[in-house]
Amino acid sequence: AKHPEIKALMKPDTNLIWVVLLMVLAQLVAFYLVKDLDWKWVLFWAYVFGSCVSHSMTLAIHEISHNSAFGNRKAMWNRWFGIFANLPLGVPYSVSFKRYHMDHHRYLGGDGIDVDIPTDFEGWFFCTRFRKFMWIVLQPLFYAIRPLCINPKPITRLEVINLLAQFSFDVAIYYLWGAKSLCYMLAGSVLGLGLHPISGHFIAEHYMFLKGHETYSYYGPLNLLTFNVGYHNEHHDFPNIPGKSLPLVKKIAAEYYDKLPQYNSWIKVLYDFVMDDTISPYSRMKRQLKGEVKQD
């Protein structure tokens, strides 16, 4: 109400389409270049380059899940484009992510609904410094399994298409360029979503390092690789504004954001999570939902 000009930012980001196309092309070139390398160099480049592109692509898919590529009027175009953006990750992800991520926004912290909340087992077991470190390494596994434990949903036709398209792409990569290219693709995704500087955003976004503050923004340079996902308070306030425009939200409504707790280093977030004995996977706000719950 105080800043009506923010409404002008609620429009698709067509540049996202071209960025995703370039990222897919970059990974295809990388698949070709690593096919004859020694295994040690395949894994080296998977971590140094492939992991960055793969994690960045998951955040492009996050943008697409909010219909930021083609707009709300062409919602299905966004779903198909998300399946395309998913291809260089190696594992089907896009369609299911969209379904669960909308629940995360509608019912943030909702017990049994928001699968971003760790399970009781994660909170109970990963409580020491070493175990928390291993929890960070294994984050891709928990993000894949957790929805099946907390809030399983019936498989949709689009998810089957996502699976078949991804499987066909993986087979094609293996047939064209061999096991090293396929390993580079899969290793990049696993490494990029695990022990990696960019993965600090998983913890930075909603873990309560300060009691009473459950959502935090990050304003460091890694936003350049992550479609400004660090502007997380801004994103939850205005989920229909593309990441490209979230810095403008902060600039326009600075009085609402500047005084909130914030981060400038995702690496420090990872370090503090492991070393601070008062922080664990339990350090999340969980709510018992009341009334009607509508899920995708």
Side-chain angles (χ1 to χ4, degrees):
K2 187 176 180 180
H3 298 287
E5 62 270 30
I6 284 178
K7 291 182 180 179
L9 305 177
M10 298 177 184
K11 57 184 179 181
D13 175 16
T14 54
N15 289 332
L16 176 64
I17 300 169
W18 300 108
V19 172
V20 168
L21 289 172
L22 288 173
M23 291 169 69
V24 172
L25 178 61
Q27 282 293 69
L28 286 173
V29 171
F31 296 158
Y32 174 78
L33 292 176
V34 302
K35 67 184 180 67
D36 296 320
L37 296 180
D38 290 339
W39 278 106
K40 63 181 179 181
W41 291 111
V42 173
L43 295 176
F44 172 82
W45 288 113
Y47 188 80
V48 171
F49 180 77
S51 63
C52 296
V53 178
S54 291
H55 200 134
S56 183
M57 188 63 87
T58 67
L59 294 167
I61 290 172
H62 166 253
E63 287 283 293
I64 296 166
S65 76
H66 286 280
N67 294 335
S68 293
F70 296 98
N72 293 323
R73 294 182 180 180
K74 296 180 178 179
M76 280 304 300
W77 287 36
N78 290 282
R79 302 292 77 73
W80 293 116
F81 192 55
I83 292 172
F84 169 76
N86 195 153
L87 294 177
L89 295 177
V91 179
Y93 160 82
S94 175
V95 176
S96 297
F97 174 78
K98 155 74 175 176
R99 299 178 72 196
Y100 284 105
H101 188 64
M102 295 303 102
D103 294 340
H104 170 68
H105 275 275
R106 291 191 191 109
Y107 309 110
L108 179 63
D111 189 16
I113 302 295
D114 184 0
V115 299
D116 196 57
I117 299 288
T119 61
D120 287 337
F121 169 78
E122 292 172 74
W124 168 76
F125 185 78
F126 295 97
C127 56
T128 68
R129 292 180 178 180
F130 176 74
R131 290 180 184 180
K132 287 192 289 182
F133 175 81
M134 292 307 302
W135 184 78
I136 291 173
V137 173
L138 297 173
Q139 274 194 105
L141 176 65
F142 290 117
Y143 269 93
I145 295 177
R146 194 184 296 148
L148 304 177
C149 300
I150 294 179
N151 186 18
K153 296 185 179 187
I155 297 175
T156 65
R157 182 179 66 92
L158 269 181
E159 285 175 306
V160 173
I161 294 172
N162 193 178
L163 174 64
L164 293 175
Q166 190 63 60
F167 179 75
S168 299
F169 180 81
D170 293 352
V171 169
I173 293 298
Y174 179 79
Y175 177 79
L176 289 172
W177 297 318
K180 291 180 179 179
S181 295
L182 184 64
C183 178
Y184 166 87
M185 174 169 57
L186 296 173
S189 296
V190 172
L191 295 171
L193 296 171
L195 188 62
H196 194 281
I198 298 177
S199 292
H201 81 85
F202 289 132
I203 295 171
E205 290 166 359
H206 297 296
Y207 284 79
M208 290 194 296
F209 283 79
L210 295 175
K211 300 300 181 184
H213 294 275
E214 62 173 308
T215 303
Y216 302 79
S217 288
Y218 156 83
Y219 299 122
L222 289 177
N223 277 307
L224 295 172
L225 297 177
T226 58
F227 301 91
N228 287 326
V229 76
Y231 288 76
H232 217 66
N233 277 301
E234 296 84 348
H235 172 60
H236 272 269
D237 285 347
F238 303 101
N240 54 343
I241 293 180
K244 179 188 72 173
S245 299
L246 291 178
L248 291 175
V249 172
K250 182 178 183 296
K251 182 178 180 181
I252 292 170
E255 69 271 27
Y256 292 102
Y257 297 111
D258 284 352
K259 295 181 181 179
L260 294 177
Q262 56 190 251
Y263 299 115
N264 290 303
S265 171
W266 279 336
I267 296 176
K268 188 176 187 302
V269 169
L270 291 172
Y271 177 83
D272 288 347
F273 179 81
V274 171
M275 301 304 293
D276 188 337
D277 294 333
T278 67
I279 303 295
S280 76
Y282 269 140
S283 303
R284 292 289 297 263
M285 181 72 77
K286 183 183 284 190
R287 297 177 173 84
Q288 298 298 322
L289 299 176
K290 299 178 181 180
E292 186 180 3
V293 175
K294 296 181 179 180
Q295 301 184 63
D296 276 12

